[in-house]
Amino acid sequence: MAYNPLSIASLNSGSNGNCYYVGNDEDAVLVDAGLSCKETEKRMSRLGLSMDKVRAIFISHEHTDHIKGLSVLSKKFNLPVYISPGTLKGCKFELRPDLVRALPSHEAIMVGNLSIIGFPKIHDASEPYSFMVSYGETNVGVFTDLGAVCEQLTHYFKQCHAAFLETNYDDDLLSKSAYPYFLKQRISGGRGHLSNKQALELFTRHKPNFMSHLLLSHLSKDNNCPDLAASLFKEHAMETEIIVASRYVETAVYTISEPVAVHSF
């Protein structure tokens, strides 16, 4: 079986900005553009990643921490933007019409030699999407800003060799926090964010045995703790490497590939 490796990195993950890189030797995409254009370039450069390989940007939803740098980044590098009509309508700025692309549901979009499937997710936004990026048989999911786990999420999670998965808050920390009641309800009320417990249940029940990396993503600064989230998952990880995607700096670049088939003779 031939390797189809993908390189992945979180450039930032949190309410202060989200941007995820997935690519191979020839082509790459960004999922969300919540950092400034300048900061996106800086962080990619530090990782040895080139904007010259980026072929498109996929946008999950219209909240500022996912689109802050989109307009400048798309225009500067002439990058197509795949975005749902509801998300586009919710943007507070205009994108170049010639760079806007339709975002069908559950249909593969070819960008270079990458295949990207977008599908609806549960979140308090106009028309939010999650994504699975594939190269050959290698699949990487970007699953953040989730109010709840649904059948669609489970379906794609079970196919992933690696995933960015939201672990936004710890139940106890949220309940004891100084956040007002309405905000606590917005976060945990089924259309906001996924808790450590909810994400862990998805992981333990549906993790494929070939998942090599899980990047815990979009952690709350006030209602979660990186060490706490990581320790919960590492207890159940087995061969899966657990990484916390920081809200302050980029992660390392990780290489993901489908396992080689072993034949007995």
Side-chain angles (χ1 to χ4, degrees), residues 28-105:
V29 296
L30 296 178
V31 176
D32 289 335
L35 298 172
S36 70
C37 179
K38 182 178 181 180
E39 190 64 24
T40 301
E41 292 181 80
K42 184 190 301 183
R43 295 189 183 200
M44 285 189 58
S45 177
R46 287 200 297 247
L47 291 173
L49 300 173
S50 173
M51 283 298 302
D52 291 340
K53 288 184 181 178
V54 177
R55 310 297 181 212
I57 305 171
F58 286 76
I59 296 298
S60 65
H61 63 293
E62 72 275 14
H63 292 166
T64 304
D65 53 322
H66 296 262
I67 62 170
K68 184 165 51 182
L70 177 59
S71 181
V72 176
L73 195 63
S74 173
K75 184 176 181 181
K76 179 174 181 178
F77 293 99
N78 206 42
L79 293 172
V81 177
Y82 289 86
I83 187 168
S84 71
T87 299
L88 181 62
K89 187 176 180 180
C91 289
K92 301 274 194 274
F93 51 77
E94 291 187 2
L95 295 170
R96 269 177 43 190
D98 61 306
L99 293 176
V100 174
R101 301 286 188 273
L103 184 55
S105 177

Side-chain angles (χ1 to χ4, degrees), residues 167-216:
T167 50
N168 181 255
Y169 65 94
D170 171 78
D171 290 289
D172 290 337
L173 290 177
L174 179 63
S175 68
K176 296 173 183 176
S177 78
Y179 280 25
Y181 177 77
F182 81 88
L183 186 53
K184 292 181 180 180
Q185 285 298 106
R186 183 253 159 180
I187 292 168
S188 62
R191 292 185 57 80
H193 293 282
L194 215 61
S195 69
N196 293 344
K197 182 180 178 181
Q198 290 170 304
L200 182 63
E201 183 177 3
L202 172 68
F203 181 69
T204 55
R205 291 184 61 187
H206 301 293
K207 177 186 79 73
N209 58 16
F210 51 78
M211 180 177 280
S212 62
H213 295 73
L214 185 75
L215 285 84
L216 308 183

Side-chain angles (χ1 to χ4, degrees), residues 116-160:
I116 299 91
I117 293 176
F119 61 96
K121 64 181 177 182
I122 301 170
H123 191 52
D124 56 358
S126 296
E127 196 178 354
Y129 270 60
S130 288
F131 301 100
M132 186 174 75
V133 183
S134 303
Y135 175 44
E137 299 301 316
T138 305
N139 304 317
V140 172
V142 183
F143 309 134
T144 70
D145 294 74
L146 303 162
V149 173
C150 64
E151 290 184 8
Q152 296 179 112
L153 173 61
T154 300
H155 171 76
Y156 289 104
F157 186 80
K158 291 194 287 190
Q159 301 177 47
C160 287

